[in-house]
Amino acid sequence: MPSIDSKDIKTIVVACDAGMGSSVMLAGTLRKALKGRSIEVRHTPVNSIPADADVVVCHTGLAERAAKSVAPGTVLIPFQLFIGDPAVTKLVATIKSGGTVDA
C-alpha cells in the first residue's frame, strides 16, 4: 500500500469524471483547508492525472480508473461524500498535524 510523509506532499490532485462541479468545490475546500502550506491542489479529469501527483483524491466510483492512471506509489484517497467525507477530513488532519498519509 503506497504512503507518503505529509511533509513530502507538494501536489494533491482531485480527479473527476462527470464535470458537475462537485469535485471543483472539493478542490477549493482543500485549497482553503491547506492555505499557507506549500501544497498545490489541482483539479483534473480522472484519465489525465499528472505524473507529479503525490496524492490523488477521487470518488470511490472512479477509484479503479484513477488507480490505472496514477504512477505506482502514488497515494490514492477514495471518498464517498463531496463535503465532509471522513477520508478527506483525515487527509487534511494528517497533513496539518504531520504524519504518514496512507492509501
Side-chain angles (χ1 to χ4, degrees), residues 9 14 22 30 34-35 38-39 47 53 59 63 74 89 94 97:
I9 297 173
V14 178
S22 301
L30 282 171
L34 300 172
K35 188 175 182 174
S38 298
I39 298 175
N47 294 331
H59 191 270
T74 302
T89 301
T94 302
S97 65

Side-chain angles (χ1 to χ4, degrees), residues 22-23 25-26 29 79-86 88-89:
S22 301
S23 54
M25 279 190 335
L26 176 58
T29 299
F79 66 88
Q80 293 186 15
L81 305 170
F82 284 94
I83 298 174
D85 190 273
V88 177
T89 301

Side-chain angles (χ1 to χ4, degrees), residues 8-83:
D8 295 328
I9 297 173
K10 302 294 178 226
T11 305
I12 296 175
V13 171
V14 178
C16 71
D17 189 36
M20 298 299 290
S22 301
S23 54
V24 173
M25 279 190 335
L26 176 58
T29 299
L30 282 171
R31 280 185 201 100
K32 278 185 188 177
L34 300 172
K35 188 175 182 174
R37 301 186 185 280
S38 298
I39 298 175
E40 178 184 11
V41 178
R42 295 186 207 158
H43 178 259
T44 66
V46 71
N47 294 331
S48 301
I49 297 170
D52 66 342
D54 297 311
V55 176
V56 174
V57 179
C58 71
H59 191 270
T60 54
L62 299 174
E64 187 175 323
R65 282 177 50 201
K68 292 177 183 178
S69 297
V70 300
T74 302
V75 175
L76 177 63
I77 307 290
F79 66 88
Q80 293 186 15
L81 305 170
F82 284 94
I83 298 174

